[in-house]
């Protein structure tokens, strides 16, 4: 598997001949030709992420009511609401950007806590991207097409058996 694109090269003599597309979570390789229930999978992914974000908001509502019952004061309540709102906005942006380019692993590790707090934003980003395409499809398609072009270039240079090549005298 290639480190950069994630596409897998198949030996030249194989029936498929060329790089294989990298599967996307919930979609497999259906994103290449939009076949085998691709549209139904997109609807399912959008519905599931929207349902999960609604359920998450209900859980956050219970947490808010718990703060009200505990009578922690308005400062703590505002602080918690601001924390979830800011972290959700940052998680949305980070997730949305992750669909267009490969994320930096070190940066992802440092943002892990923030993204966990802002999980509603990540779910909403997944929902909105599912309305447009399979999340990450554009990035995977660009990498797959680049790997395909590279494979065709490599194959075009080699013709015939080099050991049977006539030698110049």
């Amino acid at each position: 598997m290639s480190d950069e694109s994630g596409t897998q090269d198949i030996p030249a003599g194989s029936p498929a001949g060329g790089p294989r597309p990298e599967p996307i979570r919930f979609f497999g390789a259906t994103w290449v030709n939009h076949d085998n229930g691709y549209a139904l999978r997109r609807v399912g992914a959008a519905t599931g992420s929207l349902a999960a974000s609604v359920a998450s908001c209900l859980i956050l509502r219970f947490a808010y009511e718990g703060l009200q019952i505990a009578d922690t004061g308005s400062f703590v309540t505002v602080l918690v609401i601001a924390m979830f709102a800011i972290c959700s906005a940052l998680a949305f942006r980070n997730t949305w950007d992750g669909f267009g380019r490969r994320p930096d692993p070190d940066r992802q590790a440092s943002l892990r806590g923030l993204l966990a707090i802002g999980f509603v934003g990540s779910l909403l980003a997944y929902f909105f991207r599912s309305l447009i395409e399979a999340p990450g499809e554009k990035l995977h398609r660009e990498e797959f097409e680049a790997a395909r072009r590279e494979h065709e270039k490599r194959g075009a240079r080699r013709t015939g058996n080099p050991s049977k090549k006539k030698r110049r005298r």
Side-chain angles (χ1 to χ4, degrees):
M1 188 183 308
S2 171
D3 288 337
E4 289 179 16
S5 66
T7 55
Q8 301 170 353
D9 284 331
I10 299 174
S14 65
R20 289 182 288 180
E22 183 180 359
I24 298 176
R25 182 183 297 151
F26 305 126
F27 293 91
T30 60
W31 60 269
V32 177
N33 297 322
H34 295 185
D35 57 355
N36 295 334
Y38 172 80
L40 190 60
R41 290 177 192 219
R42 269 192 41 207
V43 169
T47 305
S49 60
L50 183 62
S53 64
V54 168
S56 299
C57 287
L58 288 175
I59 291 170
L60 290 177
R61 166 91 180 169
F62 292 140
Y64 174 77
E65 288 177 0
L67 287 174
Q68 294 299 315
I69 291 171
D71 196 27
T72 56
S74 61
F75 177 72
V76 173
T77 303
V78 169
L79 198 62
V80 169
I81 291 171
M83 176 194 63
F84 274 107
I86 292 169
C87 289
S88 291
L90 291 172
F92 180 92
R93 182 63 183 192
N94 188 55
T95 304
W96 190 265
D97 287 344
F99 295 139
R101 60 179 161 72
R102 294 274 177 189
D104 179 28
D106 294 332
R107 184 171 185 266
Q108 287 296 106
S110 67
L111 291 175
R112 186 170 293 135
L114 183 133
L115 296 176
I117 293 170
F119 60 97
V120 175
S122 292
L123 290 169
L124 288 174
Y126 202 86
F127 166 71
F128 287 120
R129 194 57 170 216
S130 294
L131 296 177
I132 300 169
E133 65 179 6
E137 179 181 343
K138 181 180 177 185
L139 172 67
H140 284 77
R141 189 168 303 283
E142 288 171 357
E143 291 174 348
F144 180 60
E145 293 299 324
R148 234 189 208 167
R149 284 191 300 272
E150 183 64 31
H151 177 76
E152 289 172 4
K153 247 172 50 174
R154 279 193 316 241
R157 286 188 297 224
R158 296 180 300 217
T159 56
N161 187 349
S163 66
K164 293 183 178 180
K165 193 174 184 180
K166 293 180 182 179
R167 304 198 190 269
R168 293 185 187 174
R169 294 187 187 224

